[in-house]
């Protein structure tokens, strides 16, 4: 996959399925994550042979990153297959035997809260005290009751009151606080504990949504995200196995690694006079594309210009937010830019700590950090030196026969970016002090190994996954997915620039299956267009 072979034009190379007869359309896919690989795979399967994938990093997979750590495979990125019934990622895994060794602890029937297993979550306060299990369960029932209410605004068309500011966080905090304070059976100290637990639950929710705070997540849109029915699964050998299955039939040379794109010149033929371009039969030229005749030229950072009929852009929403102004020439339409700006993406990072011996009890499945001094706070935003206060929990990875004695911590938002700036030693020391403080055990040793993700500072990703921010809607996902040029605004060749990736899927954004389905969706657009062209050409009346 290291070298990139750009096919030359052919006048007698029809699609094997008979879609078009004068030459193969040249298709460039930008990004070799799940969306890009899924699009490439289905294009090749349907007879398109002139397909090139440009991947900026030195590996395929995008936001899937499985790392071998001793005997275990740790997931720095995607971890769960969310739902089984009709989920294409699940069926890929199941059909290829990837779930045979998935344990009960790596399968969840209910709503996922990060990692789950049979066992007990230990809710610990910053005073080193464990909150009684019955109190935790009582609060959890209350929180889940209000969580169900947050789904109703979209699902039942329930009007959003002004007090909620159309925010999941504001609404949840307000309703839960009122219910806690009106409970006549609770003492003041119990009420304070429950209010503190509310803040911790909202931190967990932020990690799941990959938002800086649930205050930024749209209440009116929250219920549109659709959960696929069935259990959720972890792949013991690593989620990268799914990536490998998608990539295995893609010919060598199709995927170009370490190939960054600087700019996509779309509608090029319509925008430039032939006399202004330097003609050449080669594929690259220092400053100008070699020839006209293709509507698109992809300008790479290494100065290569690659001509194309169609480009499928699978860059993350984070990359589009940062680079869209320089990435597209001409600029993206105003409404698409607005969609990019309105939709949200933030960073959720994992911190893996490996210990020689467990300091937690056998029934403990997680250590949840409850800061009692945060009970009455509104938005939880911390200065850089207090980044660790955003760590919501450490989960125990099971089974120990596979993972050893391993904890997985979660942190999101700006504080995750602060964490990414620290070195491993600082993060390990900070996490050890947190664990000592919250468990009340001063003898917890430092972990002997640490591994963590850094999705926010990764220049080719810039965040973990998308969410519908306050002010945005599912329509923005659909606007992001619309191809260029718009059909109703131009006589230029259609489907020049197509968009895929999890952020472009209205109901499954933030998921691996949303990414995969979006890639298949865009490839299908091209397949259908060439079928339609072929039908139109073969049914022309004789003059």
């Amino acid at each position: 996959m290291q070298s990139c072979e750009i096919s030359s034009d052919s006048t007698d190379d029809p699609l094997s399925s008979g879609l078009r007869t004068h030459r193969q359309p040249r298709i460039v896919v930008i990004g070799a994550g799940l969306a890009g690989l899924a699009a490439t795979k289905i294009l090749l399967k349907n007879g398109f042979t002139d397909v090139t994938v440009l991947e900026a990093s030195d590996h395929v997979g995008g936001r899937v990153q499985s790392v071998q750590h001793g005997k275990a495979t740790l997931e720095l990125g995607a971890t769960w297959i969310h739902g089984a019934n009709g989920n294409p990622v699940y069926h890929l895994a199941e059909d290829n035997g990837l779930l045979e060794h998935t344990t009960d602890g790596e399968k969840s029937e209910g709503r996922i809260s990060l990692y789950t297993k049979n066992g007990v979550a230990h809710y610990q306060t910053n005073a080193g005290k464990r909150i009684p299990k019955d109190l935790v369960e009582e609060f959890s029932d209350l929180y889940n009751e209000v969580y169900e209410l947050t789904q109703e605004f979209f699902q039942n068309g329930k009007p959003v009151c002004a007090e909620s500011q159309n925010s999941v966080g504001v609404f949840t905090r307000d309703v839960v606080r009122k219910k806690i304070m009106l409970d006549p059976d609770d003492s003041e100290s119990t009420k304070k504990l429950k209010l503190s637990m509310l803040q911790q639950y909202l931190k967990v929710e932020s990690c799941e949504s990959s938002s800086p705070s649930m205050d930024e997540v749209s209440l009116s849109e929250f219920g549109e995200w659709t959960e696929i029915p069935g259990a959720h699964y972890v792949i013991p050998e690593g989620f990268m196995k799914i990536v490998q299955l998608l990539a295995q039939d893609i010919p060598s040379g199709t995927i170009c690694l370490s190939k960054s794109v600087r700019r996509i010149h779309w509608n090029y033929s319509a925008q430039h006079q032939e006399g202004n371009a330097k003609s050449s039969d080669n594929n690259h030229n220092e400053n100008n594309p070699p020839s006209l005749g293709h509507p698109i030229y992809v300008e790479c950072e290494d100065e290569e210009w690659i001509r194309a009929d169609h480009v499928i852009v699978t860059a993350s929403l984070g990359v589009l937010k940062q680079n869209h102004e320089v990435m597209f020439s001409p600029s993206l339409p105003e409404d698409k830019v607005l969609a990019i700006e309105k939709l949200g993406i933030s960073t959720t990072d994992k911190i893996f700590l490996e210990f020689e011996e467990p300091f937690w009890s056998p029934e403990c499945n997680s250590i949840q950090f409850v800061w009692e001094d945060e009970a009455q706070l509104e938005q939880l935003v911390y200065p850089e030196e207090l980044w660790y206060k955003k760590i919501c929990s450490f989960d125990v990875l099971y089974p120990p026969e596979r993972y050893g004695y391993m904890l997985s911590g979660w942190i999101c938002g700006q504080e995750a970016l602060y964490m990414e700036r620290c070195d491993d030693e600082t993060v390990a020391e900070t996490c050890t002090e947190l664990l000592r403080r919250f468990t009340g055990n001063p003898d917890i040793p430092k972990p002997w190994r640490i591994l963590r993700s850094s999705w926010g500072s990764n220049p080719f990703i810039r965040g973990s996954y998308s969410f519908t921010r306050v002010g945005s809607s599912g329509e923005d996902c659909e606007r992001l997915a619309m191809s260029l040029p718009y059909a109703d605004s131009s006589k230029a060749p259609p489907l020049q620039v197509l968009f895929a990736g999890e952020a472009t899927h209205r109901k499954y954004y933030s998921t691996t299956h949303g990414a995969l389905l979006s890639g298949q969706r865009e490839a299908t657009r091209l397949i259908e267009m060439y079928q339609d062209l072929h039908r139109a050409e073969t049914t022309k009346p004789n003059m």
Side-chain angles (χ1 to χ4, degrees):
M1 292 183 183
Q2 294 300 328
S3 62
C4 182
E5 298 169 7
I6 311 297
S7 303
S8 60
D9 286 341
S10 172
T11 55
D12 57 355
D13 184 20
L15 291 174
S16 60
S17 53
L19 304 183
R20 195 175 182 185
T21 55
H22 60 276
R23 75 165 168 86
Q24 273 281 335
R26 175 170 287 173
I27 302 169
V28 172
V29 178
I30 297 176
L34 290 177
L37 294 175
T40 303
K41 187 179 178 77
I42 198 169
L43 286 169
L44 294 172
K45 187 178 178 182
N46 281 271
F48 291 79
T49 59
D50 198 346
V51 183
T52 301
V53 184
L54 307 179
E55 168 55 49
S57 71
D58 61 3
H59 61 275
V60 299
R63 284 167 272 178
V64 175
Q65 192 175 0
S66 307
V67 176
Q68 203 63 35
H69 195 73
K71 291 188 294 184
T73 301
L74 301 180
E75 304 289 11
L76 290 178
T79 302
W80 289 90
I81 298 174
H82 289 284
N85 300 349
N87 185 334
V89 178
Y90 169 80
H91 292 299
L92 259 180
E94 176 67 12
D95 293 347
N96 289 276
L98 299 183
L99 303 178
E100 289 177 5
H101 301 292
T102 301
T103 65
D104 287 343
E106 295 166 315
K107 184 170 78 169
S108 171
E109 297 289 345
R111 181 175 173 241
I112 289 182
S113 181
L114 305 179
Y115 279 92
T116 57
K117 75 167 283 290
N118 296 327
V120 180
H122 286 209
Y123 283 78
Q124 304 281 152
T125 72
N126 54 300
K129 305 294 184 183
R130 183 178 170 193
I131 300 174
K133 186 169 177 279
D134 58 344
L135 197 156
V136 172
E137 290 174 348
E138 193 178 303
F139 172 77
S140 185
D141 289 343
L142 168 60
Y143 180 87
N144 288 331
E145 178 187 317
V146 177
Y147 177 85
E148 293 302 318
L149 294 179
T150 64
Q151 307 294 292
E152 293 184 0
F153 292 93
F154 181 86
Q155 293 173 358
N156 300 336
K158 193 173 169 183
V160 175
C161 66
E163 289 79 12
S164 73
Q165 299 172 46
N166 195 23
S167 158
V168 172
V170 173
F171 172 84
T172 302
R173 204 162 43 241
D174 184 47
V175 175
V176 174
R177 278 177 174 172
K178 283 176 181 173
K179 289 178 179 287
I180 290 171
M181 298 311 293
L182 291 173
D183 191 331
D185 299 326
D186 282 349
S187 66
E188 288 304 309
S189 60
T190 297
K191 288 178 179 178
K192 183 183 177 184
L193 266 182
K194 287 183 175 179
L195 291 171
S196 303
M197 275 194 284
L198 168 61
Q199 301 285 38
Q200 194 275 339
Y201 269 58
L202 288 172
K203 288 180 190 177
V204 171
E205 203 79 66
S206 296
C207 285
E208 292 189 354
S209 292
S210 195
S211 60
S213 159
M214 291 309 291
D215 289 25
E216 293 197 24
V217 180
S218 172
L219 180 61
S220 61
E221 305 299 315
F222 196 49
E224 185 170 21
W225 188 90
T226 304
E227 186 165 345
I228 290 180
H232 310 273
Y233 295 82
V234 168
I235 302 172
E237 292 182 80
F239 219 104
M240 188 56 75
K241 292 291 182 182
I242 296 292
V243 173
Q244 291 166 1
L245 285 170
L246 289 173
Q248 69 183 8
D249 296 326
I250 297 174
S252 174
T254 298
I255 301 176
C256 314
L257 299 179
S258 302
K259 190 79 170 176
S260 296
V261 170
R262 179 183 296 160
R263 192 169 290 111
I264 300 164
H265 302 267
W266 60 286
N267 232 8
Y268 194 89
S269 298
Q271 307 241 354
H272 292 72
Q273 296 296 322
E274 189 155 349
N276 293 337
K278 296 179 181 179
S279 296
S280 170
D281 291 328
N282 298 322
N283 274 314
H284 54 89
N285 188 302
E286 281 195 13
N287 297 307
N288 293 289
S291 64
L292 293 170
H294 289 76
I296 306 161
Y297 285 86
V298 179
E299 180 186 355
C300 300
E301 290 291 350
D302 62 5
E303 307 295 341
E304 182 172 13
W305 289 69
I306 301 172
R307 50 196 172 189
D309 296 293
H310 311 281
V311 173
I312 302 178
V313 178
T314 72
S316 72
L317 178 62
V319 168
L320 291 176
K321 279 180 178 290
Q322 180 162 310
N323 296 339
H324 74 82
E325 289 183 358
V326 296
M327 194 174 177
F328 297 92
S329 176
S331 301
L332 294 177
E334 189 176 334
D335 56 349
K336 191 179 283 283
V337 170
L338 202 57
I340 290 169
E341 290 173 348
K342 288 199 296 183
L343 288 168
I345 186 169
S346 184
T347 300
T348 295
D349 278 327
K350 301 176 192 176
I351 306 169
F352 293 100
L353 305 177
E354 186 172 9
F355 296 86
E356 294 192 38
E357 296 292 333
F359 59 82
W360 53 90
S361 55
E363 92 290 347
C364 174
N365 71 15
S366 63
I367 300 164
Q368 310 283 334
F369 296 152
V370 179
W371 294 87
E372 290 189 81
D373 57 350
E374 294 182 349
Q376 297 297 336
L377 295 180
E378 297 301 322
Q379 276 207 40
L380 300 177
V381 180
Y382 304 102
E384 185 164 359
E385 65 273 13
L386 297 180
W387 62 266
Y388 56 85
K389 295 192 77 172
K390 195 66 170 289
I391 298 176
C392 59
S393 63
F394 274 94
D395 296 305
V396 179
L397 270 60
Y398 282 85
E401 295 78 24
R402 180 183 300 150
Y403 294 103
Y405 304 114
M406 184 89 69
L407 298 179
S408 173
W410 299 83
I411 185 171
C412 64
Q414 182 62 44
E415 293 80 7
L417 296 179
Y418 294 151
M419 182 276 294
E420 291 180 15
R421 295 174 192 168
C422 300
D423 57 34
D424 281 356
E425 182 70 14
T426 300
V427 174
E429 285 181 0
T430 302
C431 291
T432 304
E433 286 303 317
L434 268 181
L435 290 165
R436 288 170 180 166
R437 178 176 185 174
F438 278 82
T439 61
N441 178 1
D443 298 321
I444 292 175
K446 276 177 60 178
W448 71 288
R449 283 203 287 192
I450 178 172
L451 183 70
R452 57 204 169 108
S453 59
S454 55
W455 295 111
S457 53
N458 183 324
F460 309 132
I461 305 292
R462 297 294 181 194
S464 297
Y465 42 85
S466 62
F467 65 97
T468 44
R469 193 162 57 185
V470 173
S472 71
S473 73
E475 291 180 3
D476 292 309
C477 296
E478 292 197 339
R479 179 64 68 186
L480 186 58
M482 286 183 66
S483 57
L484 298 174
Y486 293 157
D488 58 356
S489 64
S490 173
K491 294 181 180 179
L495 300 186
Q496 290 183 38
V497 186
L498 303 94
F499 294 84
E502 52 84 14
T504 70
H505 200 295
R506 182 164 184 160
K507 294 185 183 298
Y508 297 147
Y509 58 85
S510 80
T511 66
T512 54
H513 56 273
L516 187 147
L517 287 168
S518 73
Q520 293 179 341
R521 178 195 68 212
E522 296 312 306
T524 301
R525 285 192 212 272
L526 291 174
I527 293 164
E528 290 175 348
M529 184 185 86
Y530 281 90
Q531 286 176 333
D532 291 344
L533 277 176
H534 179 65
R535 278 196 292 268
E537 288 173 3
T538 56
T539 56
K540 285 179 183 176
N542 292 324
M543 300 300 290

